[in-house]
Amino acid sequence: DAEITQSPRHKITETGRQVTLACHQTWNHNNMFWYRQDLGHGLRLIHYSYGVQDTNKGEVSDGYSVSRSNTEDLPLTLESAASSQTSVYFCASSESSGGSYNEQFFGPGTRLTVL
Amino acid sequence: AQSVSQHNHHVILSEAASLELGCNYSYGGTVNLFWYVQYPGQHLQLLLKYFSGDPLVKGIKGFEAEFIKSKFSFNLRKPSVQWSDTAEYFCAVNPTGNEKLTFGTGTRLTIIP
C-alpha cells in the first residue's frame, strides 16, 4: 500500500543546531507540504512543492528550508534551531488536481523539541 | 487570503449526545471544504469532503457536514457520539484551483463515557 512516512518520529536538539526532518511518500504525488502544529494555531503551512525542483514558502517559512530533488522526498531543514520551533511537524502529499479537489494525505508526524 | 474559523476550541459531551462543530471560512470564490480528524497520538485523517453537488455530505463513522454557501459555513454533525470520537477536529478549505489547504485552529472533542 502507498504511504507517507516521516523520520525521526521524535527528536530533541539544542538551540543553534541544524536539523533535517525527512518525509517520504510512495503515492507518486506531485504535491508535498510541510506543516507545523501548535496549540491554539492548528496547522500552519511552512513550505510546499508542486513537483521536482519546485519549492514555495508558506505562511511560517522563516528559519526553514526545503529541497525537492525527486518525487518521493521533501526534507525539511531547520538551519539554526530555535526554541520557538519546538512543535509537531506533519508532512502531507496530494495529487495535482488541475483545479478540481485534492485530498491531502498526512504522515505520522515528528515531535521536535529544541532545548 | 482565505481564513477558516472554528469557534469551539474544546467541546465536552456525554456519550449518545448530538454533536455540531462550527466552521466558517472567508473567501469569495468557489471552494473545496474538508474535515480532518486527529485521534490521540495519530496523524490526520480525512473525515469528509465537499467539492460540488449535494451540500449535505456524509463521511466515515456516521459524521456528516452541511455546506451553506450563504453563511460561508461547513458545520460538522453527528447525531450520537461515542467515546471513540474523542479527538481533535480540523476544518480546512482550499479555493478551487489552489492546491494549498488552509486549516482552522481545531476543536478538541472529549466524550465522557
Side-chain angles (χ1 to χ4, degrees):
Chain A
D1 286 346
E3 61 177 353
I4 180 166
T5 57
Q6 294 183 233
S7 62
R9 295 293 311 279
H10 301 272
K11 174 78 176 178
I12 300 174
T13 191
E14 295 177 341
T15 302
R17 290 190 178 267
Q18 183 180 81
V19 177
T20 296
L21 309 183
C23 175
H24 179 81
Q25 53 100 0
T26 58
W27 293 96
N28 201 35
H29 286 160
N30 284 328
N31 304 335
M32 295 185 74
F33 308 84
W34 272 106
Y35 297 90
R36 58 177 290 173
Q37 183 182 24
D38 304 287
L39 196 63
H41 291 279
L43 277 81
R44 292 181 290 175
L45 185 62
I46 305 172
H47 280 286
Y48 58 101
S49 168
Y50 290 155
V52 176
Q53 302 301 331
D54 176 75
T55 61
N56 305 280
K57 293 181 179 181
E59 63 176 306
V60 290
S61 60
D62 287 349
Y64 303 94
S65 63
V66 293
S67 61
R68 187 90 180 269
S69 58
N70 58 52
T71 300
E72 295 81 17
D73 300 289
L74 186 71
L76 177 71
T77 297
L78 287 67
E79 291 131 15
S80 177
S83 57
S84 60
Q85 294 176 308
T86 293
S87 186
V88 180
Y89 291 85
F90 287 98
C91 181
S93 71
S94 68
E95 193 171 338
S96 296
S97 68
S100 179
Y101 82 95
N102 50 343
E103 174 184 349
Q104 291 189 15
F105 295 86
F106 284 80
T110 294
R111 183 175 297 275
L112 176 68
T113 302
V114 182
L115 301 175
Chain B
Q2 64 271 18
S3 65
V4 179
S5 297
Q6 292 182 245
H7 301 294
N8 311 109
H9 299 295
H10 191 188
V11 173
I12 302 172
L13 294 172
S14 298
E15 274 192 310
S18 64
L19 169 72
E20 181 161 3
L21 301 182
C23 173
N24 289 89
Y25 67 94
S26 64
Y27 184 73
T30 306
V31 296
N32 303 312
L33 296 153
F34 306 81
W35 275 98
Y36 280 85
V37 61
Q38 184 179 28
Y39 297 105
Q42 297 188 27
H43 59 93
L44 276 79
Q45 305 170 42
L46 184 67
L47 202 52
L48 49 78
K49 58 186 181 286
Y50 170 83
F51 56 100
S52 66
D54 188 345
L56 183 63
V57 293
K58 295 189 184 298
I60 60 172
K61 303 186 180 185
F63 286 90
E64 65 179 30
E66 184 175 13
F67 172 47
I68 303 179
K69 189 174 181 179
S70 61
K71 295 185 178 181
F72 298 89
S73 69
F74 190 56
N75 292 353
L76 181 70
R77 301 193 294 248
K78 186 171 184 179
S80 178
V81 294
Q82 301 172 307
W83 178 79
S84 58
D85 293 324
T86 294
E88 189 147 16
Y89 294 81
F90 293 93
C91 182
V93 61
N94 80 306
T96 303
N98 187 325
E99 307 279 357
K100 297 183 294 179
L101 282 176
T102 299
F103 284 86
T105 53
T107 297
R108 183 186 301 176
L109 175 65
T110 301
I111 306 301
I112 301 170

